[in-house]
Each structure stands twice: as C-alpha cells, then as structure tokens.
Amino acid sequence: MRLFEFNAASDLPESWDRNLGTNIYLSRSFLRFMEGRSDAQDSRYYMFTDDSGAPDTRFMLFTRKEYVITQFTRFSLKAFSRFVYVPLSVARAGVHLGVGSSELFFEFVRKLKGMRLVFNLPGEVKSPGFVQVMTCPRCVLDVRWSSFDGYMADLRSHYRNRYKKALKRSSGLRIYKLADNSRFGEDLYALYLQVLARADYKIETLSLEFFRGSFFDIFVMENELNQPVAFYQLLENGDELIFEFTGFDAELASRHDAYNRMLMEIIRHAIENGFKRIDFGQTAEEAKLRIGCRYEDIYVLASHSNPILNLALRIFAPLLNYKPIPENSFNVFRTLPAGQEGSNP
C-alpha cells in the first residue's frame, strides 16, 4: 500500500472517485466545491492505493484549534483537535474505508498530535486505541407510499390531524424553488445564521457561496407580504433525498407552522420524484420522529496523543455519549414496513 497526500481538492486524481460508493460528499466535484465555503481549517486529502495503483481508503483531514469535545454534556472542555470529517455538519463519514488499508488508516490517525476524532462511522467500525462515542443519530424516512395522500392516510389519526392543521395554518405561504441558486441572497442567508445562532451543537459556519452551489435545490417559503419566512435545501444522491440545511425566522415560522410544513413538503417532493429514502439529518429529531423517521446510529472514534488525557478520555467516554429520544416514544403509522410488524408499542 502507498499513501498519497493532496493539499487541495483540485489536486485529486480522477481515480479518487473510483468505487467510492454512495458518499457524495467525498466525491472530487463536491470536495472542490466545498473548499473555502466553510471555516474548516487546514484541510488535507489522503489516499491509500494498492500495489496496482488502484485507490483503496480515501479520507480528508482538518484541524480545529479549539473544539468543545464535551458538547453533549453540561461541561465545556476545549482541545486542539484533528478531524476526519466532512466539514459540513452532515451525518456522513469523512473517510471511505477500503478493504486492504483500513487499519493503516487508523494507524495514521493514531500518530497525529492532539485530539483525534473520526466522525460518523457505523457501530461495527472500531479500532484499538480509540474509544467509541455515540453522536447524534441520523433520522431517516423510508419512502414506501405512491402518493402524498397515501402517506397522510397511513398516519395515525393524532399525527394526521396535527399535520392537516399545519397544512392549513401554512396555506398562505407561497413555496417555490429558486430557478438559479445565484439568487440566494443576504436575506435568506440571514435566516440560516438565525438558526445557527440557536443551535445547541455547531462545528462550523457555512458561507453565503455554499448556498449558491449548483448541487442543491433550494425552496423558499414567503408570506403574503413577500417576506421570506424560511428556506430549505435539498441534495439528490441517487435514489436518496438529503435534507441539507434550513433557515427560518423563528417568530414568522411559528405563526405559520412553517417547519412542519417544510417537513411535509420534503416528503411530498420525495414521493412525487421517486426517491426511496429521505435523510433528514441529525437535528430536531423529535419533530422528525413524529413524521415517521427512524434512527440510524452513528459514532465517533476518539483518542488523544497524550497518554494521560487518553486514559481520562477512556474513563469518561460514557459521559460523552449523545442520549437520543427513545424511538418507541412515537407510534406514527397505521401500517409498518415488511419485517417490522409487531414492533409497535
């Protein structure tokens, strides 16, 4: 195996994309787009190749001079940290683990100075010297209805009545797709910054130019005074629809029940355009569980180069775990997907 390092996404060879799987965020085109559109620091890209030169493990690495490693607790402990992570606050890994070099990847990370964090891995991925910490789970809705009316009819009456009210309260909103994302202006960006300011957990701030990227579809919700109440950003990834980011005015959105309307419109869009699943992301999980999402658990592998701090990390790791809402708190649908019959409480 050989390891190659690249200072910029523009330097990545065409072979980088070969057999990369479904992680669109690690594709060359998306990485090139992302550079300079967040406040991620000192990004580097690495690729292990086998003896024939074929790509195996690929990953990106960036640093944070001060990162709150205790963000799921009431404490505030900051540390210089190295991230293997997509600088986008999405629930996808910043590494594609190959067949022949996965342990070489972890050996590389273990040699880095400071806190080492490998984000958004499935639970079965582990490595000696790293502790496994649960992070915010991904909220996913499997699309199994042929129409939006079919989805609404499948909701139990309590939820169906709730969302009918949301549709009625928001009926005065005009919802439209931006024909050209270059028209995403400062007024919409201010709505994103409002949501970011209210967020409990945040790693980086995205630039205005990020929202103008051609990868996305952006939908705007305006009131009768032509004021932007909210927007939502979607990304197509094969037969999966990904809910990226949103922005909204808290007072106006509450008045129109705009957030629940937004969730309904994303489901409608997915059904009408043939998507098989919706990745609703990691935040606001109670609202997303109430529309029928299920959890996909994801984890961070963490270690520290200082042996004493690493021992402390191992001791206190259980306190760092995110504590999700129990999925069985909600009984949303009248029917369940095949294989889940009898699982309702």
Side-chain angles (χ1 to χ4, degrees):
M1 289 285 175
R2 294 185 61 191
L3 176 63
F4 295 88
E5 178 180 358
F6 307 94
N7 293 328
S10 58
D11 298 332
L12 298 176
E14 290 185 10
S15 60
W16 176 277
D17 283 345
R18 194 181 307 163
N19 299 320
L20 194 57
T22 61
N23 190 346
I24 188 174
Y25 302 102
L26 279 182
S27 66
R28 287 192 311 148
S29 58
F30 199 91
L31 291 174
R32 287 197 297 266
F33 162 72
M34 270 301 302
E35 277 192 341
R37 290 177 169 84
S38 79
D39 56 1
Q41 302 164 16
D42 192 28
S43 295
R44 295 289 186 273
Y45 308 87
Y46 299 86
M47 178 171 68
F48 282 100
T49 63
D50 62 21
D51 293 339
S52 69
D56 198 56
T57 293
R58 283 143 282 181
F59 62 101
M60 66 177 304
L61 179 74
F62 74 93
T63 63
R64 275 285 184 199
K65 294 180 180 179
E66 289 188 335
Y67 173 64
V68 182
I69 61 175
T70 53
Q71 62 176 307
F72 298 145
T73 74
R74 65 178 185 271
F75 305 105
S76 180
L77 176 61
K78 297 180 181 180
F80 176 83
S81 301
R82 307 274 192 173
F83 285 51
V84 177
Y85 171 84
V86 177
L88 191 56
S89 296
V90 294
R92 304 299 169 103
V95 56
H96 173 82
L97 291 171
V99 175
S101 57
S102 60
E103 191 46 47
L104 290 175
F105 160 74
F106 284 110
E107 181 181 327
F108 173 91
V109 177
R110 279 192 291 267
K111 292 178 180 178
L112 299 173
K113 297 295 184 181
M115 177 68 72
R116 293 80 64 104
L117 299 160
V118 186
F119 277 81
N120 299 337
L121 296 172
E124 62 269 19
V125 177
K126 301 177 182 178
S127 185
F130 290 87
V131 297
Q132 187 181 64
V133 178
M134 184 178 184
T135 188
C136 304
R138 180 188 299 122
C139 295
V140 173
L141 182 67
D142 299 303
V143 180
R144 52 192 177 87
W145 307 273
S146 59
S147 68
F148 182 73
D149 287 343
Y151 164 80
M152 291 292 288
D154 198 22
L155 294 170
R156 292 186 180 273
S157 59
H158 170 74
Y159 297 97
R160 184 167 58 254
N161 291 337
R162 172 69 185 88
Y163 296 124
K164 282 184 176 180
K165 290 179 182 178
L167 293 172
K168 184 176 181 179
R169 287 183 62 192
S170 61
S171 61
L173 295 178
R174 184 171 77 97
I175 303 174
Y176 63 93
K177 176 184 169 182
L178 285 183
D180 183 346
N181 287 355
S182 67
R183 296 172 62 186
F184 187 95
E186 294 283 356
D187 55 345
L188 295 176
Y189 187 62
L191 298 181
Y192 159 72
L193 294 178
Q194 284 188 46
V195 171
L196 184 68
R198 295 190 297 266
D200 293 327
Y201 315 117
K202 45 183 172 283
I203 297 177
E204 75 280 313
T205 301
L206 297 166
S207 72
L208 173 63
E209 290 303 317
F210 170 80
F211 293 95
R212 292 175 173 170
S214 60
F215 283 88
F216 312 107
D217 291 327
I218 292 181
F219 295 83
V220 179
M221 309 172 82
E222 288 184 350
N223 64 13
E224 62 278 2
L225 301 176
N226 295 324
Q227 294 174 301
V229 173
F231 76 86
Y232 53 98
Q233 180 190 45
L234 304 177
L235 174 64
E236 297 183 4
N237 184 34
D239 61 3
E240 174 187 51
L241 184 66
I242 303 174
F243 177 23
E244 288 284 344
F245 293 93
T246 183
F248 54 86
D249 180 287
E251 193 277 327
L252 291 177
S254 176
R255 185 187 308 170
H256 294 281
D257 209 349
Y259 190 76
N260 280 315
R261 176 64 183 274
M262 182 188 305
L263 298 179
M264 292 296 100
E265 290 305 318
I266 293 171
I267 294 170
R268 188 196 306 272
H269 180 85
I271 294 172
E272 293 179 352
N273 290 277
F275 292 97
K276 300 302 183 185
R277 75 177 235 154
I278 309 171
D279 177 355
F280 273 103
Q282 296 168 279
T283 59
E285 69 251 50
E286 181 172 350
K288 294 168 184 177
L289 292 176
R290 289 181 183 275
I291 61 170
C293 286
R294 59 178 174 83
Y295 279 143
E296 285 184 351
D297 293 340
I298 48 179
Y299 297 85
V300 177
L301 293 186
S303 68
H304 201 286
S305 58
N306 183 302
I308 296 175
L309 293 179
N310 199 51
L311 176 60
L313 180 63
R314 299 188 69 85
I315 294 171
F316 292 105
L319 300 177
L320 304 178
N321 283 306
Y322 183 78
K323 296 175 177 59
I325 301 168
E327 280 187 271
N328 61 6
S329 300
F330 307 101
N331 187 8
V332 176
F333 295 119
R334 299 169 60 215
T335 63
L336 287 172
Q340 294 186 24
E341 293 85 352
S343 63
N344 273 342

